Amino acid sequence: MEKIAIGVDIGTTQTKAVAFRANGTVQASAYVRYPLIQETEGMAEQDVEQIFQAVIMCIQQVVSDVQPLEISLISFSTAMHGLIVMDKNNQPLTRVITWADNRAEKYAEELKDTSLGKMMYQNTGLPMHPMTPFHKIRWLKQEFPEIYEQAEKFIGMKEYVFYRLFDQYITDISTASGTGFLNIHDLIWDQQALAEMGITKEQLPLLVTPTHQLIGLGAQWLEQLGITAKTVFVLGGADGPLSNLGLGAIEKGTATLTVGTSGAVRYIVEQPCTHPQAETFCCVLDENYWVIGGATSNGAGIFDWACETLLKEAQTEAREARKNPYDAVMNRVMETSAGAKGLMFHPYLLGERAPLWDAEAAGGFIGLKRNHDDKLMMRAVIEGICLNLKRILTELEELGGSVREIRATGGFADSKGFKQVMADVFGYTLSLTESVEASALGAVMLGWQSLGIISDLKTACEKVEIYEVVEPDKENYEIYQQIYPLFITTQQQLSASYHQLAKLRADLE
């Protein structure tokens, strides 16, 4: 009888469980959404128990859906950079403080241009930014010392799940590389980071490889999940690196592009690579592969804002006609010409991670004139999102070598117009894969490797099939090649004013 492998993807807005057949196709899937808690400025937290129950419910659902097929393995992907503080009684002292929480910004800024900050980046591969647990712990230590002093363990959401299921604090080196505490060269907890924070490696989970197996799940959990003792649990990795794997982008020259609410460009390399100006990250996939990249905070979420702000009427008309409102917007945008008649948009409405690493970064239209209408402004917004991602890709090529193909996924892939603009700006072929559940599939690939079903990850990538190819328009690409240097120049000029603007906003509020 065919066996099913389940990939569980614990994301920022939802948890998914996806059941895969041996050929990599999806047999069943389930998801549970949960909210971000944002009670104060900069806060972005989530309820620990709510996410844990979402994991249990998703596994239960897909197990039920694929019965009577046997579940060979359950492997995990998780959103990076989350922090939970546990006390000596193994109870959470905090919610999940997610990557989107900016309250540690002050402490990240203090280190950004220092020799210590530069050394930390070279050791851990992560720029000085409030997203990482390293800076979140610095923030807690200074502003919530009662929590810091009670802390027995500093963990993330996946580690909490495995503690609840197996009574062990354990993490894989891929997930650990998102904490700011892992030395990406030696693949051990970094002594400099630990010393700076005044904590010991015993306060962090035990480090293992992403293919590490756990068996012996308690009878009550076996019954609740609907599985047998034969099912193997595999640690898996972090969602970003696993997305590359699930998209089949492990060969040199193949990058990945993900554009959902946020966005990211990533590139797999065979040794750690850091950027001389700390503009990119370097995280771990497994013992043999690293992922360099840049994650932008400003992806399709900015597109949503622009739709509501600039072309709300077009969306309303589409909804009344029972048509897709986003298609209506893109149809109007594609009536305009590349370059938006000289109008540019910097998409930093949510601050920015790569390439600026500045939580106070702000957005803006550059070159706005009276002849620019709402359609041209909308086009400039889309082009700005794409140009920002192009800058990240350019940095990665300097580190990891030339790109030949980009494997793309995310909500933007549903829009013909958005895909074409992206290909035109990048000047590369965009390849869309059959699997939209890339991180979950990547986790399953690690599981197959762990069980010896596949010999290596390159073999696993052969299961990934391309269903669409988008070629760049040569004329439009030439236009964007003319715009791109000006986009970078104005970006650099305006960045000097971001913190003054932030102070002005605070004063006026």
Side-chain angles (χ1 to χ4, degrees):
M1 180 183 293
E2 181 181 11
K3 294 184 179 180
I4 295 294
I6 295 176
V8 180
D9 184 13
I10 307 171
T12 305
T13 57
Q14 65 181 13
T15 286
K16 296 179 185 177
V18 186
F20 293 94
R21 301 179 64 183
N23 63 0
T25 59
V26 174
Q27 180 74 10
S29 64
Y31 70 89
V32 173
R33 295 185 182 276
Y34 31 75
L36 271 177
I37 301 168
Q38 298 176 296
E39 298 168 339
T40 61
E41 182 69 26
M43 175 189 282
E45 297 184 345
Q46 290 173 322
D47 184 88
V48 177
E49 185 63 23
Q50 192 174 27
I51 299 178
F52 178 74
Q53 292 302 326
V55 171
I56 299 302
M57 291 167 63
C58 286
I59 295 174
Q60 287 174 325
Q61 183 62 55
V62 293
V63 169
S64 174
D65 288 347
V66 302
Q67 286 181 344
L69 297 177
E70 182 180 339
I71 309 299
S72 61
L73 66 94
I74 303 177
S75 186
F76 290 76
S77 163
T78 188
M80 302 181 84
H81 316 306
L83 174 67
I84 305 169
V85 182
M86 304 292 287
D87 68 14
K88 63 181 179 181
N89 297 315
N90 299 307
Q91 296 300 309
L93 289 166
T94 65
R95 300 176 180 134
V96 187
I97 307 174
T98 72
W99 66 267
D101 194 298
N102 281 330
R103 288 174 292 175
E105 179 195 354
K106 167 186 171 184
Y107 303 96
E109 285 292 323
E110 287 176 353
L111 287 183
K112 182 177 286 187
D113 296 319
T114 67
S115 57
L116 175 60
K118 292 173 183 177
M119 182 190 303
M120 292 295 303
Y121 170 69
Q122 294 298 328
N123 289 352
T124 67
L126 295 179
M128 299 299 100
H129 188 274
M131 67 183 181
T132 65
F134 177 84
H135 296 295
K136 291 181 173 74
I137 294 172
R138 291 186 75 224
W139 164 69
L140 287 171
K141 184 177 182 180
Q142 295 299 318
E143 300 190 21
F144 297 90
E146 68 282 4
I147 293 177
Y148 176 83
E149 289 164 7
Q150 293 180 66
E152 187 74 14
K153 294 282 185 183
F154 298 99
I155 64 172
M157 191 61 222
K158 185 163 72 170
E159 293 74 53
Y160 181 83
V161 169
F162 275 87
Y163 168 73
R164 288 285 299 271
L165 295 179
F166 291 96
D167 199 29
Q168 296 182 45
Y169 286 114
I170 189 168
T171 193
D172 59 89
I173 54 176
S174 178
T175 302
S177 69
T179 65
F181 286 100
L182 186 81
N183 188 300
I184 59 171
H185 307 275
D186 301 328
L187 303 181
I188 59 175
W189 293 124
D190 186 74
Q191 292 302 312
Q192 180 74 49
L194 292 172
E196 177 65 21
M197 207 49 56
I199 65 176
T200 67
K201 66 179 182 180
E202 285 73 28
Q203 288 179 279
L204 299 176
L206 175 68
L207 281 173
V208 298
T209 64
T211 54
H212 184 82
Q213 300 179 8
L214 286 172
I215 56 175
L217 190 65
Q220 75 278 13
W221 287 120
L222 292 174
E223 181 179 359
Q224 188 169 342
L225 296 175
I227 58 178
T228 72
K230 293 180 181 179
T231 300
V232 175
F233 281 71
V234 178
L235 262 289
D239 59 355
L242 290 185
S243 178
N244 272 58
L245 182 57
L247 290 170
I250 205 166
E251 292 285 352
K252 186 174 178 61
T254 304
T256 65
L257 168 68
T258 303
V259 185
T261 303
S262 56
V265 185
R266 303 183 184 91
Y267 198 10
I268 288 183
V269 292
E270 296 184 0
Q271 61 184 13
C273 294
T274 53
H275 189 279
Q277 280 78 49
E279 291 186 0
T280 59
F281 61 71
C282 180
C283 296
V284 178
L285 173 57
D286 65 4
E287 310 96 303
N288 302 308
Y289 297 104
W290 287 256
V291 176
I292 57 174
T296 170
S297 300
N298 299 278
I302 305 306
F303 176 72
D304 291 342
W305 165 83
C307 287
E308 288 297 317
T309 305
L310 300 172
L311 289 172
K312 190 170 185 177
E313 184 178 316
Q315 288 198 305
T316 300
E317 290 174 0
R319 289 190 183 103
E320 290 174 352
R322 297 188 176 182
K323 295 180 179 179
N324 187 312
Y326 293 122
D327 287 346
V329 169
M330 287 307 302
N331 288 340
R332 294 198 182 189
V333 168
M334 298 311 287
E335 294 170 0
T336 64
S337 57
K341 294 186 178 179
L343 179 62
M344 291 188 301
F345 179 72
H346 290 181
Y348 310 123
L349 274 61
L350 300 172
E352 189 53 294
R353 290 180 286 170
L356 303 181
W357 299 103
D358 190 338
E360 297 294 359
F365 286 98
I366 313 297
L368 184 64
K369 304 292 283 186
R370 287 183 64 182
N371 66 320
H372 290 123
D373 59 16
D374 51 3
K375 291 190 295 185
L376 287 167
M377 293 175 74
M378 190 72 211
R379 178 157 197 132
V381 168
I382 295 165
E383 292 175 343
I385 294 168
C386 297
L387 287 162
N388 190 55
L389 288 163
K390 179 181 173 70
R391 180 178 171 186
I392 298 171
L393 179 66
T394 301
E395 302 288 356
L396 297 187
E397 287 189 291
E398 291 178 3
L399 293 175
S402 297
V403 166
R404 297 186 304 272
E405 174 196 18
I406 298 174
R407 299 282 178 95
T409 188
F412 93 105
D414 295 331
S415 168
K416 180 181 178 181
F418 210 143
K419 285 182 289 191
Q420 190 62 58
V421 174
M422 191 74 75
D424 294 348
V425 169
F426 278 28
Y428 291 119
T429 298
L430 293 187
S431 299
L432 288 301
T433 69
E434 287 288 355
S435 177
V436 295
E437 310 294 358
S439 295
L441 178 56
V444 163
M445 288 178 176
L446 286 174
W448 283 333
Q449 184 184 34
S450 178
L451 270 60
I453 296 171
I454 58 171
S455 58
D456 56 55
L457 296 182
K458 288 185 178 180
T459 301
C461 288
E462 295 173 2
K463 297 178 181 289
V464 178
E465 296 184 5
I466 305 297
Y467 75 88
E468 182 184 0
V469 172
V470 182
E471 298 287 353
D473 180 282
K474 186 177 180 180
E475 290 185 8
N476 288 348
Y477 172 64
E478 293 299 328
I479 292 170
Y480 292 126
Q481 283 292 87
Q482 182 181 354
I483 293 170
Y484 179 68
L486 188 56
F487 179 84
I488 300 302
T489 300
T490 53
Q491 183 188 70
Q492 293 168 342
Q493 291 169 337
L494 288 172
S495 64
S497 303
Y498 288 153
H499 286 259
Q500 292 170 288
L501 288 168
K503 184 179 183 303
L504 177 62
R505 288 194 300 272
D507 290 345
L508 295 177
E509 285 174 1

